[in-house]
Amino acid sequence: MQSSQQYRSRCMSSKLYNQPMQEFEAYCMPQFQTLDHQLRYNGSSQRTHLSIPNARDQYCTLESSSANGSYPIYNSPSTVSLSPNGSPVSQQESQSYPPDLHHSPDNNYGSPISGSCITDDVNDFRSKLRELETDLLGPDYGFMESIESNFQNGSSIKSPEMDIWRQMMEAISRGDLKHVLIACAKAVSDNDLLMAQWLMDELRQIVSVSGEPIQRLGAYMLEGLVARLASSGSSIYKSLRCKEPASADLLSYMHILYEVCPYFKFGYMSANGAIAEAMKDENKVHIIDFQIGQGSQWVTLIQAFAARPGGPPRIRITGIDDSTSAYARGGGPNIVGKRLAKLAESVKVPFEFHAAAMPNSEVHIKNLGVEPGEALAVNFAFMLHHLPDESVSTQNHRDRLLRLVKSLSPKVVTLVEQESNTNTAAFFPRFLETLNYYTAMFESIDVTLSREHKERINVEQHCLARDVVNIIACEGTERVERHELLGKWRSRFRMAGFTPYPLSSLVNSTIKILLENYCYKYRLEERDGALYLGWMNRDLVASCAWK
């Protein structure tokens, strides 16, 4: 069993490649909801297979002719099958396939009835089925009669379960990856392990990190599903974090994403526009950035202040970043501060940088270095969704931090967040939301960054895939990607005592000019005092300001 678990673990991280499509095998018997098992008969080897998994990954091996009801237990790396003499059949000889009905006129996917699936002797087949039915369910169950009736009448077995199987086979045959992903997530949500495992095996053959956008996204969503089903979401996510590239490499990947997609530029430009507008008459400006990252947001703002009529203000930036983050490795926020100081000096802007190397959830007023006489601006760009709220912890750091900031009486507070609803949503609707959101994201990357681009896989894997896996595989405090729609953020800001700060029309027009350099499928909308950047019909990023 341990070797099986290790094998499945390796599959989670290594089977993200495009395997050749295999022909569908013939399927012998349907799955019956009242029986938590799979039944098949292989006429060529004269064996009847029955596997019943339990919570400990153990399988019962049942001898069809057993009279005393004594069933030995075996630990198996997959399913343990039985032969007429009661000996377990090796894993190589026994494989699990989802059922199909070859007697059905609707079946277009399997092979016709042959000795490879059932015995050529139909009477022998019926006899063996009747023996299994009697051993398992007693003589009065009556299932065999319905099977015989269907054989005699030449009709197919009709049931909701079989309709589901048939729909899945049709979706797989036409390559409908999105449909199969959703069905797999539903099976995981319903704890339908047989269906989930089968669909995961099929998905591994049609996802690809170098294929179409949905194939690339599907590869990472499949990894999340496998991790969730194995109840190892947190360990998989931590393993992914351990494989993060060196800080310089990650910054390079982030820079590529920053250039090929306007999402970050949109967020930074809209926030900077609100700050510049609020600080146009101020001489001492203090900006608190709760996720300094690379500090790239502040390059254009420092340059804009340098060109301000009447001269630039004195600028002080407090940059907050967890000292263990990928951006901080190799020097921490101080590295960012030195780069910004060098830039400010070159454009003759008085500048000071204060580093606060700590998680946002641990920030208190004493860490922010606020001084009297400063006009304060606070920046929340793509970071508040990382803080746990009341659904995760009674401490509710998300709302606590907003109240803390309000107590500082800032002149302006900027908010930029992904327009997605994954915070308190249950697993299955959260999966659907993630699939919808990141499909648009991957499609938008595809139009700008060619599939032949040597760094594209690294960009998607290190900048996006880790978030996808975390959303799907993790729960509780280990799920750190917890996005909310702007309507919910508005409620939180209002409860903390904030009022909306209208964005300047100049910001809107500047971003429209920016988008002219990108694909026409991007769209910009202003609604209720906020700006939304979207891809086709899907909003992806929202930006607004408060005071």
Side-chain angles (χ1 to χ4, degrees):
M1 184 171 67
Q2 289 180 347
S3 62
S4 173
Q5 291 171 342
Q6 292 170 355
Y7 173 76
R8 287 195 293 267
S9 177
R10 289 197 299 271
C11 286
M12 267 183 283
S13 58
S14 66
K15 287 202 174 182
L16 296 180
Y17 52 83
N18 195 13
Q19 302 177 16
M21 180 65 74
Q22 300 173 348
E23 292 185 4
F24 294 116
E25 299 272 354
Y27 305 114
C28 306
M29 285 292 294
Q31 176 197 32
F32 299 99
Q33 193 170 14
T34 54
L35 298 177
D36 188 19
H37 66 266
Q38 179 187 8
L39 177 67
R40 0 188 266 282
Y41 179 78
N42 188 319
S44 62
S45 60
Q46 297 297 309
R47 292 190 183 97
T48 303
H49 304 288
L50 184 66
S51 59
I52 305 178
N54 64 18
R56 296 183 179 180
D57 244 0
Q58 294 180 328
Y59 299 84
C60 297
T61 301
L62 309 181
E63 182 175 339
S64 60
S65 59
S66 172
N68 57 14
S70 176
Y71 305 126
I73 302 294
Y74 297 93
N75 289 333
S76 168
S78 58
T79 56
V80 174
S81 310
L82 61 108
S83 60
N85 64 6
S87 61
V89 181
S90 69
Q91 182 183 3
Q92 288 76 16
E93 292 176 307
S94 174
Q95 300 179 12
S96 296
Y97 294 101
D100 188 21
L101 295 177
H102 299 290
H103 300 285
S104 169
D106 298 328
N107 172 36
N108 297 317
Y109 309 107
S111 306
I113 298 176
S114 71
S116 64
C117 184
I118 63 174
T119 179
D120 293 328
D121 188 340
V122 176
N123 290 329
D124 185 34
F125 176 52
R126 293 175 183 166
S127 176
K128 291 183 180 297
L129 286 177
R130 189 184 298 277
E131 288 178 11
L132 278 174
E133 176 200 12
T134 302
D135 284 341
L136 288 172
L137 305 172
D140 300 325
Y141 184 68
F143 166 67
M144 196 63 230
E145 284 73 14
S146 66
I147 293 292
E148 290 185 4
S149 175
N150 277 291
F151 280 151
Q152 293 167 358
N153 297 331
S155 62
S156 62
I157 300 175
K158 303 287 186 181
S159 73
E161 292 78 11
M162 292 316 304
D163 287 341
I164 293 174
W165 284 109
R166 188 174 292 110
Q167 291 171 13
M168 287 301 95
M169 295 297 296
E170 292 173 353
I172 292 169
S173 69
R174 65 175 181 265
D176 189 346
L177 177 53
K178 192 170 184 177
H179 185 98
V180 181
L181 278 169
I182 292 172
C184 187
K186 188 64 168 64
V188 172
S189 177
D190 294 343
N191 202 32
D192 186 347
L193 303 185
L194 177 63
M195 174 71 83
Q197 187 59 58
W198 170 51
L199 292 177
M200 286 176 182
D201 290 341
E202 297 298 337
L203 283 168
R204 287 189 182 100
Q205 302 179 58
I206 54 179
V207 300
S208 169
V209 295
S210 58
E212 300 283 338
I214 187 61
Q215 288 179 298
R216 306 198 307 265
L217 173 60
Y220 302 121
M221 298 199 80
L222 173 59
E223 184 168 0
L225 285 172
V226 174
R228 183 180 185 89
L229 192 60
S231 299
S232 61
S234 60
S235 62
I236 292 297
Y237 184 62
K238 290 174 183 176
S239 175
L240 285 171
R241 292 185 65 85
C242 291
K243 296 177 183 177
E244 284 181 345
S247 181
D249 291 336
L250 181 58
L251 295 183
S252 173
Y253 303 148
M254 291 295 294
H255 180 73
I256 294 173
L257 185 60
Y258 179 86
E259 291 298 329
V260 301
C261 295
Y263 306 118
F264 293 107
K265 288 182 179 178
F266 160 78
Y268 295 161
M269 287 180 66
S270 58
N272 287 354
I275 294 172
E277 175 72 18
M279 302 298 178
K280 62 184 178 181
D281 299 321
E282 299 295 338
N283 293 321
K284 292 180 67 176
V285 176
H286 183 186
I287 300 170
I288 300 176
D289 187 353
F290 273 88
Q291 186 167 295
I292 191 67
Q294 308 165 54
S296 56
Q297 175 175 350
W298 309 118
V299 172
T300 56
L301 185 62
I302 290 173
Q303 293 169 338
F305 276 137
R308 192 177 75 170
R314 179 177 296 275
I315 301 175
R316 191 155 64 96
I317 294 180
T318 295
I320 303 169
D321 200 348
D322 186 347
S323 59
T324 63
S325 77
Y327 302 115
R329 288 202 305 268
N334 284 313
I335 294 292
V336 175
K338 290 177 181 178
R339 287 200 297 264
L340 293 177
K342 186 175 181 180
L343 169 67
E345 182 181 4
S346 69
V347 294
K348 297 180 172 55
V349 172
F351 181 82
E352 180 185 344
F353 186 85
H354 170 62
M358 63 183 63
N360 285 292
S361 59
E362 298 178 8
V363 171
H364 295 276
I365 291 179
K366 64 182 180 180
N367 307 121
L368 301 176
V370 177
E371 297 179 359
E374 296 177 326
L376 183 63
V378 176
N379 185 59
F380 291 120
F382 303 107
M383 62 74 50
L384 273 179
H385 71 274
H386 287 145
L387 289 177
D389 70 347
E390 68 279 1
S391 68
V392 181
S393 168
T394 55
Q395 293 178 301
N396 190 3
H397 292 294
R398 190 169 296 194
D399 290 341
R400 180 192 70 82
L401 195 59
L402 291 181
R403 292 192 297 269
L404 182 151
V405 168
K406 181 58 181 176
S407 71
L408 301 175
S409 301
K411 194 157 189 180
V412 64
V413 177
T414 54
L415 172 70
V416 183
E417 277 293 346
Q418 291 96 323
E419 184 67 357
S420 182
N421 183 23
T422 63
N423 181 26
T424 58
F427 165 69
F428 185 62
R430 189 168 79 237
F431 181 92
L432 297 178
E433 172 75 351
T434 304
L435 177 61
N436 183 282
Y437 184 90
Y438 282 95
T439 294
M441 184 74 75
F442 273 67
E443 287 177 353
S444 69
I445 294 175
D446 204 55
V447 301
T448 311
L449 199 61
S450 70
R451 294 175 200 171
E452 292 74 30
H453 194 289
K454 63 179 182 179
E455 299 292 0
R456 184 192 50 74
I457 292 178
N458 286 328
V459 168
E460 292 176 345
Q461 179 180 353
H462 296 297
C463 301
L464 300 175
R466 185 174 288 103
D467 295 349
V468 171
V469 172
N470 182 258
I471 293 170
I472 295 173
C474 298
E475 295 293 351
T477 57
E478 291 169 337
R479 181 157 63 86
V480 297
E481 298 298 325
R482 293 179 167 273
H483 306 101
E484 292 185 320
L485 299 175
L486 185 54
K488 180 64 176 179
W489 290 117
R490 281 196 175 103
S491 298
R492 292 190 186 278
F493 271 79
R494 289 193 176 104
M495 286 190 295
F498 291 99
T499 57
Y501 184 96
L503 293 174
S504 169
S505 59
L506 179 62
V507 174
N508 197 332
S509 59
T510 303
I511 294 174
K512 284 183 178 179
I513 295 173
L514 165 71
L515 290 181
E516 292 177 359
N517 299 318
Y518 293 89
C519 179
Y520 70 93
K521 293 182 180 180
Y522 288 106
R523 59 175 178 79
L524 182 69
E525 270 190 62
E526 183 175 0
R527 300 196 304 267
D528 303 323
L531 287 178
Y532 294 84
L533 177 64
W535 173 259
M536 300 180 69
N537 296 323
R538 171 77 204 209
D539 291 331
L540 294 177
V541 182
S543 178
C544 59
W546 302 82
K547 60 181 179 180

